[in-house]
């Protein structure tokens, strides 16, 4: 049996969102992973967590999925705090990473090769107000041809730095102005089938 950790990155902003889509997506992801034979643990960052327990969940997990809304072009700030605490603790305990990979004795070793998470996979599942056509199109004003994965590079770099394989992300686009919940649900199911074994 494989192990999966689903991290809920939702943060409440009064009058803006209640997190219903994030909750729905987490349930669909968890149900599908369990059908694929995964044992699943979850963390709801906003509900509180114990840093050392989160490090152990990362050690335990073969697959880590962050389900989060995108706020101002990244996960909400509580996720950044979570990542800072978990990865720093994982470095100090040498459970997720030993160092940045470089050594004075061997200058050919590359920065970012000191991780201990080889064999693990990381995936983003995102909800955006941005429409899908804003991405992968150099004629679009804001992202100028970047993909959703490129826009969220600062997030996935933490995991790659620690040795994990980064899977293609899944995005629910235009969730405020034109939500298509049934399509999002079908889409994440297909994405999991395609990229998760």
């Amino acid at each position: 049996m494989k192990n999966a950790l689903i991290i809920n990155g939702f943060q409440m902003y009064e009058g803006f969102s209640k997190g219903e889509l994030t909750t729905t997506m987490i349930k669909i992801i968890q149900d599908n992973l369990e059908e694929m034979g995964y044992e699943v643990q979850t963390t709801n960052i906003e509900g509180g967590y114990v840093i050392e327990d989160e490090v152990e969940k990362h050690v335990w997990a073969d697959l880590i999925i962050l389900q989060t809304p995108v706020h101002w072009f990244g996960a909400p700030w509580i996720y950044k705090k979570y990542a800072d605490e978990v990865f720093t603790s994982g470095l100090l305990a040498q459970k997720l990473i030993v160092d940045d990979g470089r050594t004075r004795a061997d200058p050919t070793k590359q920065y970012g090769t000191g991780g201990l998470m080889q064999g693990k996979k990381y995936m983003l599942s995102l909800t955006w107000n941005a429409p899908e056509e804003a991405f992968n199109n150099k004629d679009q004003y804001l992202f100028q041809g970047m993909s959703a994965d490129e826009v969220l590079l600062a997030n996935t770099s933490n995991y790659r730095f620690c040795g994990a394989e980064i899977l293609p992300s899944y995005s629910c686009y235009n969730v405020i102005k034109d939500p298509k919940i049934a399509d999002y649900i079908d889409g994440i199911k297909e994405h999991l089938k395609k990229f998760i074994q």
Side-chain angles (χ1 to χ4, degrees):
M1 178 174 278
K2 292 188 177 181
N3 302 323
L5 170 61
I6 304 171
I7 303 167
N8 180 344
F10 175 79
Q11 180 174 359
M12 174 65 76
Y13 287 97
E14 201 61 48
F16 186 69
S17 172
K18 297 177 183 175
E20 294 162 330
L21 181 55
T22 296
T23 301
T24 297
M25 296 301 288
I26 287 172
K27 177 160 181 19
I28 297 299
I29 292 167
Q30 181 168 356
D31 289 350
N32 277 263
L33 290 177
E34 288 173 348
E35 286 174 16
M36 293 177 185
Y38 280 82
E39 182 178 338
V40 178
Q41 292 189 49
T42 60
T43 295
N44 178 355
I45 296 173
E46 194 171 50
Y49 56 90
V50 175
I51 297 167
E52 293 75 18
D53 292 349
E54 296 306 306
V55 171
E56 292 305 322
K57 286 181 183 180
H58 278 73
V59 170
W60 168 85
D62 301 298
L63 170 68
I64 300 113
I65 297 177
L66 172 64
Q67 169 62 53
T68 186
V70 177
H71 287 185
W72 296 104
F73 315 108
W77 70 266
I78 59 170
Y79 174 78
K80 177 63 166 111
K81 178 178 183 286
Y82 171 89
D84 284 353
E85 292 174 338
V86 171
F87 285 106
T88 300
S89 180
L91 169 63
L92 294 173
Q94 297 204 334
K95 291 188 173 183
L96 302 180
I97 186 168
V98 175
D99 56 31
D100 70 18
R102 299 173 296 165
T103 68
R104 288 184 178 86
D106 184 357
T108 64
K109 289 191 176 180
Q110 291 189 26
Y111 181 72
T113 59
L116 298 174
M117 294 180 72
Q118 288 80 13
K120 298 179 184 293
K121 297 179 180 181
Y122 178 68
M123 189 188 102
L124 289 169
S125 179
L126 308 164
T127 60
W128 297 82
N129 178 48
E132 187 171 4
E133 57 268 21
F135 301 90
N136 302 305
N137 181 346
K138 64 178 179 54
D139 295 327
Q140 285 287 312
Y141 169 76
L142 184 60
F143 299 128
Q144 301 177 338
M146 287 190 289
S147 68
D149 289 316
E150 289 171 315
V151 174
L152 272 291
L153 181 64
N155 181 291
T156 56
S157 292
N158 289 333
Y159 285 89
R160 185 162 172 77
F161 188 74
C162 291
E165 176 187 350
I166 308 304
L167 299 176
S169 66
Y170 178 76
S171 287
C172 303
Y173 296 106
N174 220 13
V175 299
I176 295 174
K177 293 191 173 160
D178 188 19
K180 292 183 167 63
I181 307 303
D183 290 348
Y184 303 152
I185 291 170
D186 290 344
I188 190 63
K189 289 178 180 178
E190 287 304 311
H191 192 84
L192 292 171
K193 282 180 193 172
K194 183 174 181 180
F195 294 107
I196 310 294
Q197 286 83 3

